[in-house]
Amino acid sequence: MEKRYFTIGMAGHIDHGKTSLTKALTNVDTDRLKEEKERQISIELGFAPLYEDNEIQISVIDVPGHERFIRQMIAGVAGIDLVVLVVAADEGVMPQTREHLDILKFLGVKNGLVAISKIDRVDEEFIELVKDDILDELCGTVFEHAPFVLIDSLSNKGIDEIKELIIKTLKEQEMRDAKGAFRLPIDQVFTVKGQGTVVRGTVYEGTVEEGQTLKIMPIGLEVRARQIQVHHNPAEKAYAGQRTAINLSGVSREEVERGDVLVSSEHFLVTKTLDVAIRVVEDLEHMVKQRMPIKLHIGTAEVMGRIVFFDRNEIKEENGEILCQLRLEVEILTKRGDRFILRRPSPQETIGGGWVIDPRGDKYRFGNQTIEDLEKKKVGSPKERISAALLEAKCLPLTELIKRTSLDEATLTEQLAEEEFVLFDGKEYTLQLLINSIEEDIFDKLQDFHLLYSMKIGINKAELLQTMQKRVPKHLLDFVVENGMENHIFNRRGQFVSLASFVPHVPKNWAKRTENLISDLKSDGLKVRYLKDYFADAGIPDNLVADLRRFLEEEELLVQLDEQFAYHGEVFEQAVAKLRSQTGTEFDVGEAKDVLDLSRKYMIPFLERLDSLGLTKRVENKRVWKN
C-alpha cells in the first residue's frame, strides 16, 4: 500500500489548551518564541510529528487562537486534513471558537473531532452541560456529528484515546493528490548558517524531490531544492500532506516571503482578478458594500483587494452562495477550486469565504447575464473539467481522469471521443492543443539548431527533449516526435532529429571556399596532401573544420583514409572500381600498388579503409573481396 501523509490542526479559543494537547500527543512544545512563552499564547504556527507507521504519517499544526493572530490561524488551517476543535470544559464555546468554526466551514475542512479539555477543573455534571452547549453551537457545522473526547493534558486523561481516534479517522481518509504538479504555499522563511534560504509549508499537492528545479511564484524566480527535511530529518522526497522544509539555492532570504508559493509546473496561474463563489457569516456586524476593501486569505497569502458584485450593491444577511469577483492589489497564484477567507480590514472581522470558480476573471457588466455566465462557469462542463485535468497533468489514463474530474466512465468516454482529446500509446489521453504546443516548441528548437549548425543532420533526440522533460512526461514527448514524423514535420536519422524540410548545407559565407577545397582534393587524385593543408589553403577556420569534415563525409564528397589523408568521394569510388576490375577474388599489397600506382604511405590506409567499409577482408597477407 502506498504510504499516505496527513496534517491535522488544533483550533479553538485562546488558552483552551491547544498547545498543551499538542505537547501531550507529541512530546513537542510548539511555543517556540520568547514572547509566546512570556504571554502563554501561540503567535506563530507550531508544528510537531504525531504518528508514523508503514501506512501513514501524521503531523500536527497548533493554530493560534487569539483574535489578533487570526491570519496565522487561516494560513495553518488552509493546509490541513483534519481539525481537532479544542474547547475548555470550564469556559465552553467562546468568540474565537465561533470564528474558527466559520473559517473551517469556508475552507471546506470536512473531518473534525472535538476535544473537551481541562476536565479536571470541573465536575462530571458540569461537563455534561458543556457538551450540550457545544452541541448547540456545532449544529450545522463540520463538527455536528463529530466524536467527542474528554481530555486533560496535564494528567494525560483521554490522550491515548484521542490519538487512537485521530489515527483511525485518517487511515480511513483519502490523502491529498500526490500525482499532480507540486505546490507548496510558503508560511515560513528563514536562513540557516552555511545553508542559505529555507522555506517551510504544507505540501498541498504533488511531490518534490531533492535537486528538483522549482519556481517561486508569483515572482517567477527559478530555484533548486538543494535539501529537503520532514520534521528535522533529511528526506529525498516530500509528498502531498506533509509538513516540509526545503533549502533553496538561487534565492536570497530577502527575495521570498510568506504567502509566496513554491511550484514545479508553469501551468499554475498568476492573477489579480478572481471569479468566486462566497458565503458570508451568519451574524455580520457591518454591511458588506459594493467595491468595499477586503483582505483575502488564500493558502498562506494575505492580499488586499476589493469585492465586486454583479447583482447587488450590498450584503447584510445572506444564507446562500453569492457569485462575485475579487480584484486584488497584487498578483497571487491560485487555481479553480482553491478555498479562501475574506476579512474586513477595518474594523477587523471575518466576512465570509468561498472558492475560486475561475482564476482568470475578466471585466463584466452588472446584471443577470453575468450571473448566468458565472453559474455556468461554477458548474463547469464535463469538457472543461477534463481539459483542466489534462492541462495540469499533461496526460492521464481513463481511471485517473475519473478520479480527477468526478465524472462517470460513460460520460468521460463520450467526451473523450471529441477531436480536442487524443488517445496515445493505447491507454493515455492528452489534449490536441498540448500536442500542438509541444510540437511548436520542438519545431522552434530544431529551427534554432539548424541555423546554428547547418552542416549537422540534426540534434540528438535525448538532447532535444532534455529540458522539456522537466514539465512534460517523456512518453508524451516521444509520441509528439513520432506523430510529427508521420505528418512530415520532423525527420529522424538514427538518434538525430531534424525538421523534415531541412537539408544540411555549408553556411553561405563558407560555400565558395568549400567548393575550392573539394575541387583541389579531386584534382590531386590519389596522391593527395595532408587533409589539414587543404582546409588551411581554403581558409577554413579551425572551429569549423570538424563539422565541415563530418558534413563532407556524410555527403560522400570526402572519404577519410586515416587521420592524415582523405580522398574525394568520386576518386575513391573510381579507385575501388579499378582495383576490383583488375584483380581476382583476392589480392595482396603488391598487386594493389601496381594497379593504382600508389606508394605504401597511401596504399596501407586505403586498404584498411576498404576493410573498415566491409568491401574487403584481410586473410593473412591477402585481401579477399566481399560481395
Side-chain angles (χ1 to χ4, degrees):
M1 180 184 291
E2 185 179 2
K3 192 164 182 175
R4 295 175 297 150
Y5 304 90
F6 296 100
T7 301
I8 73 167
M10 299 288 176
H13 192 74
I14 181 176
D15 200 30
H16 274 209
K18 300 184 300 300
T19 302
S20 297
L21 174 56
T22 301
K23 186 176 181 180
L25 286 168
T26 65
N27 294 318
V28 175
D29 186 354
T30 55
D31 278 350
R32 315 176 312 285
L33 304 178
K34 180 183 176 184
E35 57 189 302
E36 290 180 325
K37 297 286 188 188
E38 290 173 352
R39 296 164 64 187
Q40 296 186 323
I41 61 172
S42 296
I43 298 172
E44 287 290 345
L45 304 172
F47 309 100
L50 182 137
Y51 177 80
E52 183 170 12
D53 61 19
N54 292 331
E55 293 179 41
I56 196 168
Q57 182 191 75
I58 305 172
S59 307
V60 183
I61 297 180
D62 173 19
V63 176
H66 193 282
E67 60 92 10
R68 286 190 306 188
F69 308 126
I70 199 78
R71 70 184 184 93
Q72 282 92 335
M73 184 268 171
I74 292 167
V77 170
I80 69 174
D81 304 289
L82 178 145
V83 175
V84 178
L85 184 69
V86 183
V87 184
D90 58 347
E91 287 193 323
V93 174
M94 299 292 283
Q96 268 66 61
T97 314
R98 296 188 185 94
E99 187 161 24
H100 282 204
L101 282 168
D102 282 335
I103 288 168
L104 294 171
K105 176 179 71 176
F106 295 137
L107 291 176
V109 176
K110 294 182 173 62
N111 259 349
L113 311 174
V114 180
I116 300 180
S117 64
K118 305 184 181 183
I119 58 171
D120 283 0
R121 296 189 181 185
V122 297
D123 57 34
E124 288 187 17
E125 187 178 335
F126 192 81
I127 288 173
E128 290 304 313
L129 292 173
V130 170
K131 281 178 70 173
D132 291 339
D133 176 42
I134 293 170
L135 280 171
D136 288 342
E137 290 288 347
L138 298 185
C139 186
T141 75
V142 67
F143 294 94
E144 184 172 11
H145 303 293
F148 280 65
V149 183
L150 304 179
I151 66 163
D152 192 278
S153 299
L154 297 179
S155 62
N156 273 342
K157 287 180 183 176
I159 297 303
D160 289 342
E161 183 185 348
I162 194 169
K163 188 170 184 176
E164 287 172 13
L165 187 57
I166 290 167
I167 295 166
K168 180 178 179 293
T169 303
L170 289 175
K171 282 195 172 183
E172 295 170 356
Q173 185 171 323
E174 288 292 318
M175 71 177 282
R176 290 170 181 266
D177 181 9
K179 294 180 181 176
F182 169 74
R183 178 164 59 142
L184 180 139
I186 296 166
D187 55 46
Q188 290 177 335
V189 187
F190 52 93
T191 55
V192 175
K193 190 173 182 180
Q195 298 294 321
T197 305
V198 177
V199 299
R200 186 182 281 150
T202 301
V203 182
Y204 267 33
E205 55 196 328
T207 60
V208 60
E209 295 184 26
E210 203 171 82
Q212 187 173 349
T213 300
L214 304 167
K215 275 195 173 181
I216 295 174
M217 302 299 283
I219 57 176
L221 185 64
E222 192 168 283
V223 295
R224 188 173 65 85
R226 182 187 289 157
Q227 292 176 317
I228 297 172
Q229 283 193 354
V230 177
H231 294 310
H232 306 291
N233 295 316
E236 291 183 2
K237 284 186 176 183
Y239 299 85
Q242 281 188 314
R243 286 292 306 172
T244 185
I246 303 177
N247 176 210
L248 300 176
S249 63
V251 62
S252 67
R253 167 67 184 84
E254 292 71 31
E255 290 176 289
V256 59
E257 61 185 9
R258 178 194 188 118
D260 288 342
V261 186
L262 197 59
V263 298
S264 63
S265 169
E266 297 176 2
H267 289 279
F268 286 109
L269 287 166
V270 171
T271 180
K272 291 171 71 173
T273 307
L274 315 179
D275 293 340
V276 298
I278 69 167
R279 290 180 183 273
V280 295
V281 297
E282 288 184 11
D283 301 313
L284 273 175
E285 288 189 32
H286 304 88
M287 193 174 292
V288 178
K289 295 186 178 181
Q290 175 75 293
R291 298 184 182 274
M292 185 187 84
I294 51 91
K295 188 178 286 185
L296 170 72
H297 297 267
I298 187 163
T300 58
E302 180 183 345
V303 182
M304 292 298 297
R306 293 185 180 274
I307 189 165
V308 178
F309 301 116
F310 301 105
D311 61 348
R312 67 196 72 203
N313 286 308
E314 59 187 32
I315 306 171
K316 178 57 182 170
E317 293 181 350
E318 178 65 54
N319 294 324
E321 204 168 45
I322 302 164
L323 303 182
C324 56
Q325 192 173 79
L326 304 178
R327 296 181 186 170
L328 309 177
E329 293 181 2
V330 297
E331 289 185 322
I332 62 164
L333 179 140
T334 187
K335 71 176 195 177
R336 178 182 167 90
D338 280 357
R339 294 275 181 166
F340 60 84
I341 299 296
L342 293 180
R343 299 261 297 163
R344 185 191 302 274
S346 180
Q348 292 191 15
E349 67 169 331
T350 299
I351 298 167
W355 61 281
V356 177
I357 296 172
D358 186 353
R360 296 162 293 194
D362 205 345
K363 288 193 174 180
Y364 313 124
R365 291 178 179 274
F366 188 93
N368 290 334
Q369 183 59 53
T370 294
I371 298 299
E372 288 175 20
D373 292 342
L374 290 176
E375 283 284 1
K376 290 175 186 174
K377 270 193 186 185
K378 176 187 158 189
V379 173
S381 69
K383 188 176 290 186
E384 287 169 343
R385 291 195 220 172
I386 298 168
S387 296
L390 291 176
L391 269 174
E392 183 176 340
K394 308 301 184 296
C395 53
L396 291 168
L398 185 65
T399 51
E400 188 61 28
L401 276 169
I402 291 171
K403 291 180 189 174
R404 294 194 182 212
T405 61
S406 301
L407 297 171
D408 61 80
E409 187 171 347
T411 303
L412 262 174
T413 304
E414 180 185 351
Q415 291 294 324
L416 289 168
E418 298 287 334
E419 61 181 11
E420 53 258 70
F421 304 111
V422 176
L423 177 67
F424 72 100
D425 287 353
K427 58 183 180 181
E428 292 205 47
Y429 290 90
T430 188
L431 290 164
Q432 184 62 54
L433 68 86
L434 270 176
I435 291 176
N436 295 344
S437 174
I438 296 166
E439 195 175 83
E440 285 176 18
D441 282 352
I442 294 173
F443 188 97
D444 291 343
K445 286 178 184 293
L446 288 173
Q447 198 168 52
D448 291 344
F449 182 85
H450 293 328
L451 284 172
L452 285 172
Y453 307 103
S454 64
M455 292 182 287
K456 292 186 177 181
I457 59 172
I459 184 172
N460 187 294
K461 183 184 172 188
E463 184 184 342
L464 171 68
L465 303 182
Q466 184 178 13
T467 55
M468 301 179 74
Q469 280 178 226
K470 294 177 182 177
R471 53 189 176 87
V472 181
K474 184 179 182 299
H475 62 294
L476 178 55
L477 291 172
D478 289 338
F479 168 75
V480 175
V481 172
E482 296 298 321
N483 188 63
M485 287 166 57
E486 288 178 18
N487 293 324
H488 308 292
I489 298 167
F490 308 132
N491 188 30
R492 192 173 72 192
R493 281 198 264 179
Q495 78 236 44
F496 297 102
V497 181
S498 68
L499 293 177
S501 59
F502 174 71
V503 177
H505 59 278
V506 176
K508 190 174 180 181
N509 51 334
W510 300 110
K512 185 63 180 173
R513 297 187 186 199
T514 303
E515 286 176 21
N516 293 337
L517 183 155
I518 291 299
S519 178
D520 290 347
L521 189 66
K522 185 175 183 179
S523 64
D524 286 346
L526 295 174
K527 296 176 181 178
V528 292
R529 294 173 290 143
Y530 292 129
L531 182 59
K532 63 181 178 64
D533 293 338
Y534 289 96
F535 281 99
D537 291 347
I540 305 297
D542 291 344
N543 64 321
L544 278 182
V545 168
D547 284 347
L548 181 54
R549 190 179 71 185
R550 190 185 306 111
F551 169 76
L552 295 174
E553 283 189 274
E554 288 167 354
E555 295 296 310
E556 299 181 351
L557 290 169
L558 181 147
V559 178
Q560 192 90 26
L561 301 184
D562 58 16
E563 287 301 312
Q564 294 181 313
F565 299 111
Y567 286 156
H568 187 281
E570 285 183 21
V571 171
F572 179 80
E573 291 296 328
Q574 289 166 6
V576 172
K578 183 177 180 180
L579 184 61
R580 188 188 283 271
S581 67
Q582 295 187 31
T583 56
T585 56
E586 60 181 31
F587 61 93
D588 58 23
V589 175
E591 290 175 88
K593 286 173 66 178
D594 292 341
V595 172
L596 297 178
D597 187 25
L598 284 176
S599 66
R600 190 175 182 83
K601 80 170 182 178
Y602 295 120
M603 196 73 256
I604 298 304
F606 178 81
L607 294 178
E608 288 177 349
R609 185 62 171 146
L610 293 185
D611 295 341
S612 69
L613 290 171
L615 296 173
T616 58
K617 181 181 179 182
R618 184 173 179 176
V619 180
E620 295 180 350
N621 292 326
K622 291 184 177 292
R623 276 178 169 78
V624 178
W625 288 105
K626 295 173 73 173
N627 294 329

